[in-house]
């Protein structure tokens, strides 16, 4: 087997990306402190045609060299917006009929492998701070809590890893529903 060259990857241009139909997934970053994690979330969002990223609270915004280092240009493709108060954003999204799902370990959480997205529904996936997770008031305001099953001793994943796992899972389940 031969590795493909970058020129063989059929990449979209920035203009093509912006015109392409997006996956009905919105990402909300609730007080993310690591600029590298923010950049990584942008890259994951680009890969799976995420509709938009909301950067909330202390979450830094582009342009910033440390975000750019891991985003690799995806801050130019993925739509994003800064909103200071996560709860205000959650209320607005819910009023727009978006289902808000916090990614957290909590009572009455739905294990990610058991989650079945509803057709023709947009989901906002909320990822929290590297130490404290999603704030309790945001968990309380969410429509559901999704939990990534974990079986080792740590029961903790880096936020950018969590985002990759959850977005891929939800994307693949939404995409399989199209067939």
């Amino acid at each position: 087997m031969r590795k493909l060259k970058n020129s063989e990857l059929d990449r979209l241009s920035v203009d093509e990306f912006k015109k392409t139909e997006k996956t009905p997934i919105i990402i909300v970053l609730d007080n993310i402190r690591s600029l590298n994690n923010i950049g990584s979330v942008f890259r994951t969002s680009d890969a799976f045609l995420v509709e938009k990223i909301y950067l909330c609270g202390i979450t830094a915004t582009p342009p910033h060299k440390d975000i750019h280092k891991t985003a690799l240009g995806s801050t130019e493709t993925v739509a994003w917006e800064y909103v200071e108060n996560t709860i205000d954003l959650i209320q607005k999204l819910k009023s727009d009929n978006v289902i808000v799902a916090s990614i957290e370990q909590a009572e009455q959480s739905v294990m990610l492998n058991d989650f079945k997205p509803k057709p023709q529904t947009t989901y906002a996936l909320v990822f929290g701070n590297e130490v404290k997770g999603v704030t309790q008031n945001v968990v309380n305001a969410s429509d559901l809590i999704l939990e990534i099953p974990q079986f080792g001793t740590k029961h903790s994943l880096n936020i950018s890893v969590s985002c990759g796992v959850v977005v891929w899972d939800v994307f693949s389940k939404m995409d399989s529903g199209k067939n």
Side-chain angles (χ1 to χ4, degrees), residues 10-94:
D10 197 27
R11 293 182 177 178
L12 298 175
S13 70
V14 172
D15 288 337
E16 290 169 330
F17 182 93
K18 289 183 177 187
K19 293 175 185 172
T20 298
E21 181 182 354
K22 302 300 183 282
T23 307
I25 296 173
I26 294 167
I27 293 182
V28 177
L29 297 182
D30 181 32
N31 293 302
I32 304 302
R33 64 182 181 176
S34 165
L35 301 169
N36 292 322
N37 283 336
I38 297 164
S40 181
V41 168
F42 268 93
R43 247 168 87 190
T44 297
S45 298
D46 177 279
F48 299 109
L49 297 170
V50 164
E51 195 173 297
K52 189 170 189 175
I53 299 173
Y54 285 97
L55 308 166
C56 302
I58 67 165
T59 308
T61 62
H64 191 287
K65 67 179 177 69
D66 289 332
I67 294 173
H68 179 72
K69 183 169 60 175
T70 50
L72 294 179
S74 56
T75 57
E76 305 303 316
T77 55
V78 179
W80 65 271
E81 181 179 339
Y82 176 78
V83 176
E84 185 173 355
N85 188 297
T86 309
I87 288 294
D88 292 345
L89 173 63
I90 298 300
Q91 291 169 345
K92 183 198 179 309
L93 291 170
K94 289 172 86 166

